[in-house]
Amino acid sequence: MKREDHMLEDIVRARLPQPVLRAVRSPLRVTAVGGGTGLPSVLGGLTRLRGSHVPMEVSAVVTTCDDGGSSGKIRRRYRLPSPGDIRNCLVALTPGENPLAEIFQHRFPGTGGLGGHTIGNLILAALAQRLGDFGSAVEAATRLLGAQGRVLPSTVDRVDLVAQLTDGRVVRGERAIAAAGGRVARMRLKRPVPANPEALDAVSHADLVVFGPGSLYTSVIASLLGEGMRAALASCHGWRVLVLNLFTQPGETDGYDAVDHVRAIQHHFGPVVDAVLVHARPLPQKMVSAYAANGAQVVSCDRDALAALGVKTFASDLLGPGNKARHDAAKLGKALHDILRSRRELHRGGMACAESSATLVGAKRVRSSSKASGASSIGATTARGRLFSSGTG
């Protein structure tokens, strides 16, 4: 190290208190898993936080099993992992107004030739062919866009989803699973494949792992089915938080409440959910009626039932504008940041703090495998009993 560098380090040591130095040296590591439209909302919210003094390293572990639309065509023709969810996450992590990111999302009209394809999907396929593998293609696209974070394919191999339904049927493929109309008993990959080593590292060393929001089986659970991921989730010493969907997904989570969502993850990976983040306010009746007409129901959340599983409940206003049941990225990022900060305060042994009107009940961290119970409110005070929660992916 040069003499000037030593002098600069001495000045920093002298002027900054040790807690600040530790924060600068060890940014909070957030790993979000899933796909669809929910995961980009998480990423966009986290990377665009304003006024946050806590540096963060954001990683996304993304499912690559989509077999519909442009992704499905590229997947079948070039035998590549599905690029669509990867593309959306890369764009979500791209800062500011970026013309290249807008071009990535351009979709050609029509059905023949390039019809239906997005430019970003085609670029990822081209990079995979030129560089020799899909993982390298994603890394190159990350640099090309200047994305502020890592996007990690859950596996670097092309593989299909398989669902075992409770009625005995075995259904292959993401679209077929959603259309089967049965209750999923078990999800697996068609053949065993290792999880992406970088994804395993991102999960096992995370300060916060975020599940969803999005399709429970075909996005969240699907992104974690690679070999080694169960052990990585178990070894993670951070909080593992499920962002609950606002509505059930017809054909996938019909009749599910919050406990059913948690138990589905536990059934596949063990006690790896420490907390659930839910939307704190009743949803607009017009929205509820519109979704009910399409077979979707509000996902209810019984905090006492979650506490019986050793799972904490955080609540905040998360609903985005408009008529669709979607999370607001900024609200979601703020709520997750508050959970992170509360977790760090508890980890240091101090009193938990949260911004605005938020409170945290209990000063002891509750792992999902414990019998302790507690409930938290982030960003909003909620009524006791059942809560409504956050959006379909």
Side-chain angles (χ1 to χ4, degrees):
M1 183 182 291
K2 295 181 180 179
R3 181 171 180 272
E4 293 83 356
D5 293 335
H6 280 296
M7 292 175 63
L8 179 59
E9 185 177 20
D10 290 341
I11 292 172
V12 172
R13 286 178 182 274
R15 294 188 177 182
L16 291 180
Q18 288 303 311
V20 174
L21 284 173
R22 284 195 295 269
V24 170
R25 287 175 179 170
S26 57
L28 292 170
R29 291 160 294 191
V30 182
T31 299
V33 301
T37 60
L39 183 55
S41 293
V42 173
L43 302 177
L46 288 171
T47 56
R48 289 164 175 78
L49 281 172
R50 297 289 185 265
S52 171
H53 301 295
V54 181
M56 284 189 291
E57 292 180 356
V58 179
S59 300
V61 176
V62 189
T63 178
T64 57
C65 295
D66 183 8
D67 57 1
S70 173
S71 286
K73 293 176 183 177
I74 290 174
R75 172 188 176 87
R76 289 185 292 272
R77 179 161 186 174
Y78 301 110
R79 304 194 64 79
L80 291 171
S82 302
D85 288 340
I86 295 285
R87 181 197 80 244
N88 287 328
C89 290
L90 286 169
V91 170
L93 289 171
T94 303
E97 297 295 327
N98 188 316
L100 184 56
E102 295 179 8
I103 290 295
F104 255 62
Q105 296 292 61
H106 175 75
R107 188 179 298 276
F108 290 100
T111 56
L114 292 176
H117 283 296
T118 56
I119 288 181
N121 287 355
L122 297 174
I123 290 176
L124 284 166
L127 287 170
Q129 290 182 353
R130 292 183 65 87
L131 298 175
D133 68 88
F134 190 69
S136 297
V138 177
E139 291 178 9
T142 301
R143 295 191 299 270
L144 186 66
L145 290 167
Q148 295 181 337
R150 296 187 301 164
V151 177
L152 307 171
S154 56
T155 71
V156 294
D157 300 303
R158 178 181 178 273
V159 69
D160 294 319
L161 282 178
V162 176
Q164 175 77 45
L165 305 184
T166 55
D167 60 12
R169 286 180 292 160
V170 177
V171 184
R172 172 182 164 182
E174 181 178 313
R175 287 185 302 171
I177 292 168
R183 197 174 182 96
V184 177
R186 190 82 182 182
M187 292 290 295
R188 62 178 174 86
L189 300 177
K190 184 183 177 183
R191 56 186 174 86
V193 298
N196 184 345
E198 290 185 272
L200 294 176
D201 180 76
V203 167
S204 62
H205 292 96
D207 295 293
L208 179 69
V209 174
V210 183
F211 303 111
S215 301
L216 176 63
Y217 288 102
T218 55
S219 287
V220 177
I221 290 175
S223 66
L224 299 169
L225 292 174
E227 292 184 320
M229 189 56 76
R230 182 184 178 111
L233 286 166
S235 67
C236 175
H237 293 292
W239 270 353
R240 299 157 298 185
V241 178
L242 169 65
V243 182
L244 199 65
N245 292 334
L246 284 170
F247 286 93
T248 59
Q249 183 174 353
E252 190 161 325
T253 56
D254 297 288
Y256 275 37
D257 63 6
V259 169
D260 292 320
H261 282 73
V262 171
R263 284 179 173 159
I265 296 174
Q266 290 179 335
H267 179 61
H268 286 81
F269 308 109
V272 296
V273 180
D274 300 301
V276 173
L277 174 61
V278 303
H279 177 59
R281 299 177 181 177
L283 294 169
Q285 186 56 49
K286 186 176 180 180
M287 178 183 290
V288 173
S289 298
Y291 273 76
N294 292 303
Q297 304 295 323
V298 173
V299 180
S300 62
C301 177
D302 186 331
R303 291 184 291 176
D304 292 335
L306 288 173
L309 296 177
V311 177
K312 300 177 75 67
T313 302
F314 293 90
S316 181
D317 175 19
L318 300 173
L319 184 64
N323 297 323
K324 289 187 176 181
R326 295 287 185 264
H327 291 90
D328 181 274
K331 293 177 182 179
L332 186 54
K334 170 68 164 51
L336 291 170
H337 174 263
D338 287 349
I339 292 174
L340 259 175
R341 198 171 70 164
S342 295
R343 189 259 174 189
R344 171 159 282 198
E345 292 298 327
L346 291 176
H347 185 69
R348 287 176 177 171
M351 292 298 293
C353 63
E355 298 177 9
S356 65
S357 60
T359 60
L360 178 64
V361 178
K364 183 177 179 181
R365 178 185 174 194
V366 179
R367 300 292 293 181
S368 60
S369 57
S370 72
K371 294 183 179 179
S373 64
S376 305
S377 176
I378 294 293
T381 303
T382 61
R384 292 182 180 179
R386 294 181 177 270
L387 301 174
F388 299 135
S389 69
S390 68
T392 57

